[in-house]
Amino acid sequence: MTAPFTRSRRVLALPLGMAVASAVAFLPGTASAQPDAAAQPGSPVSPVVSALADGTSMSYVVNVRSGQAGSPSAKTSAYVKRAIAEAGGTVVIAYDRIGVIVVHASDADFAEKIRAVRGVASAGATRTAPLSAQSDDAVEADRPLTAAEAKQAAGQAAAGQDELEPLQWDLPAIKADKAHEVSLGSSKVTVGVLDSGVDDTHPDIAPNFDAKASASCLGGVPVQKDNAWRPVSGESDHGMHVAGTIAAAKNGTGVTGVAPGVKVASLKVAEPATGMYYTEAVVCGFMWAADHGVDVTNSSYYTDPWLFNCTTDDDQKALVDAVGRATRYAERKGAVNVAAAGNAETDLSQDEIVDDSSPDDTTPVPRTIKTKDCLDLPSQLPGVVTVSATGAKGIKSSYSNYGKGVIDIAAPGGDSTKFQKPDAPATDGRILSTLPGGKFGYKAGTSMASPHAAGVAALVKSAHPHASSAMVKALLYGEADAMKCTDPYDIDGDGKVDAVCEGGKNKNGFYGVGMIDALDAVRK
């Protein structure tokens, strides 16, 4: 069976006016991202070769072959670095602990040349556009909270609630409101947000911000100087929304995070001008998190420019290798890696999927991918917790990807209010969280579901400070509330089945092992 798949930042027409994207789901009445260029028929020239025709520089990852000890030897790494220089490449940074080297080179044949070097396991371009050729398609806020809504919510807040908490239907959906009566989480636990920048001056973020564990990883090199982790003018507010869902302070004002007592760190991996999450930045984010005591990471994105990276392609194989090495390293250092499943309402367990919009930084070329060979990075990497989204009525969100054996767990990500309307006093079916500049707004997507799961993982770690990453995941799964398949699944009520769920109550393609449970996380 073959089905179409929609990548992030590309918007398409769907039934009932629904538009979806892989990073954020754009629901009716919300802002949309700019569409990618239309795919052209025929057999185009290699995008990497085209990009380098004028001698502009490209970015690559070169992965050093591991030795018998499981990691590259210093001798092999040094040999490969010399070979890189001889091939005309410049080492930007070398992550010797995992054998990943970020390189810039202007020779169109660089990757092919370096793959032939003894000691090189894989090498490939991290993008198809040259370093200087990118366009703006940053995701904007779906809907800001109005002053009238904020005033009304504040008047409905019960004792002990933050002012906007009555609008957060997602908290009672995972029993987070009850969990907060037991524990808010430990300030010794940090969740790293690999995303666009986080505004640590926001009143709901500042009390829980971990500056020491924060950095910008743009270009693959970590930078802390001048608060580089913060968003700049025109940058996506995506990371800020994610951060608030995880750890917005319970301080009487604004919203409340799932784990309002833990710390949150900003690991900026999305390029401000483009919203692209390139491999070198993603690798840097996981490495920095691992080496700076981050306990949980959240990845509400896929790694550009390929929606799926296929190990049958030399360039894409290198990207799978590089990001996989980084996530495994972070997990070995104690981090639980949590990621969004994507928002194309697609069954990821199919044998084949049509990807009609990769690469997304130049001209997309339609292709049919085999799921056994091709992975969404980082969500489908081994060990990563893959999260699907649910709406206010507790069923799979209309846009959420699914798939038996792919989805690990479910969490609130919001949905169109007309599909899943929350109970009063909440009024919007999307997720309310923080935005830069002290503001608040609604978004929906598996991007919003993943930080809910990351927040519960942080609560688990708070309750079990000495637990390994494997144990935290086991508790996260074991404490989840089992959910049987929604059958039939007719989200828009038109009498037609919109998706088919496979599996039983304790493990299925819509909800994995079930809904995250914040209360059990703090009391068991």
Side-chain angles (χ1 to χ4, degrees):
M1 180 178 181
T2 302
F5 199 103
T6 308
R7 60 189 309 115
S8 87
R9 293 175 293 275
R10 178 179 172 90
V11 176
L12 77 165
L14 291 176
L16 298 179
M18 178 73 73
V20 296
S22 182
V24 175
F26 296 97
L27 303 173
T30 69
S32 65
Q34 296 178 1
D36 292 321
Q40 302 297 319
S43 301
V45 176
S46 165
V48 175
V49 173
S50 299
L52 294 178
D54 61 357
T56 52
S57 186
M58 288 287 287
S59 181
Y60 298 84
V61 285
V62 178
N63 302 306
V64 181
R65 193 175 302 281
S66 298
Q68 292 182 349
S71 59
S73 69
K75 183 178 180 180
T76 302
S77 295
Y79 179 82
V80 171
K81 290 172 189 175
R82 289 195 297 271
I84 288 170
E86 291 172 1
T90 300
V91 173
V92 176
I93 189 169
Y95 291 100
D96 290 330
R97 296 179 300 287
I98 60 171
V100 175
I101 306 173
V102 179
V103 179
H104 287 174
S106 57
D107 183 350
D109 296 324
F110 172 77
E112 185 176 355
K113 290 177 180 177
I114 207 67
R115 287 180 199 127
V117 171
R118 177 171 52 85
V120 172
S122 58
T126 66
R127 57 190 79 195
T128 64
L131 294 173
S132 59
Q134 298 160 4
S135 60
D136 185 2
D137 65 352
V139 178
E140 298 302 330
D142 286 347
R143 186 175 78 78
L145 184 74
T146 67
E149 288 174 317
K151 183 178 180 180
Q152 182 177 9
Q156 296 172 324
Q161 282 191 318
D162 284 351
E163 290 179 332
L164 301 180
E165 195 172 341
L167 302 178
Q168 294 182 268
W169 59 264
D170 48 309
L171 296 184
I174 61 172
K175 307 173 196 171
D177 53 339
K178 299 297 183 184
H180 296 164
E181 297 175 5
V182 180
S183 172
L184 302 180
S186 170
S187 60
K188 295 181 180 180
V189 172
T190 295
V191 180
V193 176
L194 279 70
D195 215 302
S196 56
V198 173
D199 176 13
D200 54 294
T201 68
H202 192 293
D204 256 355
I205 298 297
N208 291 338
F209 193 73
D210 188 343
K212 291 182 179 179
S214 298
S216 168
C217 273
L218 302 184
V221 180
V223 176
Q224 288 189 301
K225 185 180 179 181
D226 299 326
N227 305 313
W229 56 74
R230 290 178 180 169
V232 297
S233 178
E235 182 175 340
S236 168
D237 53 19
H238 188 266
M240 189 62 184
H241 196 278
V242 167
T245 295
I246 295 168
K250 195 168 184 62
N251 52 6
T253 64
V255 296
T256 302
V258 173
V262 308
K263 297 293 186 183
V264 66
S266 174
L267 295 167
K268 190 172 181 177
V269 298
E271 299 201 2
T274 67
M276 297 287 181
Y277 297 76
Y278 286 120
T279 296
E280 58 269 37
V282 172
V283 168
C284 170
F286 282 112
M287 295 300 292
W288 182 269
D291 290 336
H292 289 80
V294 169
D295 301 284
V296 181
T297 68
N298 185 85
S299 294
S300 289
Y301 59 89
Y302 72 88
T303 305
D304 297 291
W306 306 99
L307 179 57
F308 295 99
N309 288 268
C310 300
T311 56
T312 51
D313 176 275
D314 286 338
D315 282 294
Q316 294 165 42
K317 178 180 184 297
L319 309 189
V320 174
D321 193 1
V323 178
R325 291 184 184 201
T327 58
R328 289 193 299 273
Y329 178 80
E331 188 165 6
R332 289 197 303 269
K333 296 280 281 188
V336 174
N337 300 315
V338 182
N343 304 332
E345 55 184 304
T346 295
D347 183 354
L348 299 176
S349 66
Q350 301 172 86
D351 293 335
E352 294 182 340
I353 295 174
V354 174
D355 170 16
D356 64 358
S357 54
S358 292
D360 65 351
D361 57 351
T362 49
T363 301
V365 179
R367 60 179 183 159
T368 298
I369 65 99
K370 294 184 181 297
T371 54
K372 69 180 180 64
D373 300 321
C374 306
L375 302 175
D376 182 333
L377 302 179
S379 70
Q380 289 184 287
L381 287 168
V384 175
V385 178
T386 306
V387 187
S388 65
T390 58
K393 294 305 180 185
I395 63 174
K396 186 185 84 70
S397 300
S398 55
Y399 54 79
S400 182
N401 288 343
Y402 58 100
K404 185 179 180 182
V406 178
I407 301 302
D408 293 313
I409 204 164
D415 206 345
S416 169
T417 305
K418 67 180 180 179
F419 291 161
Q420 299 194 58
K421 184 178 180 179
D423 294 333
T427 59
D428 198 302
R430 291 166 288 191
I431 304 298
L432 180 63
S433 188
T434 52
L435 299 178
K439 299 177 182 179
F440 304 89
Y442 289 99
K443 291 184 185 292
T446 55
S447 279
M448 285 62 252
S450 182
H452 281 82
V456 173
L459 292 176
V460 172
K461 181 66 174 180
S462 298
H464 305 275
H466 302 296
S468 65
S469 57
M471 180 57 71
V472 172
K473 285 194 293 182
L475 290 169
L476 179 69
Y477 297 152
E479 294 166 356
D481 294 331
M483 298 174 66
K484 65 180 181 180
C485 282
T486 304
D487 184 23
Y489 180 79
D490 177 16
I491 191 67
D492 53 11
D494 65 354
K496 298 179 181 179
V497 173
D498 296 308
V500 176
C501 177
E502 297 181 334
K505 181 178 180 181
N506 295 315
K507 184 72 172 179
N508 60 60
F510 275 14
Y511 311 112
V513 295
M515 177 66 71
I516 55 171
D517 189 324
L519 181 56
D520 280 353
V522 298
R523 70 180 183 183
K524 289 187 177 181

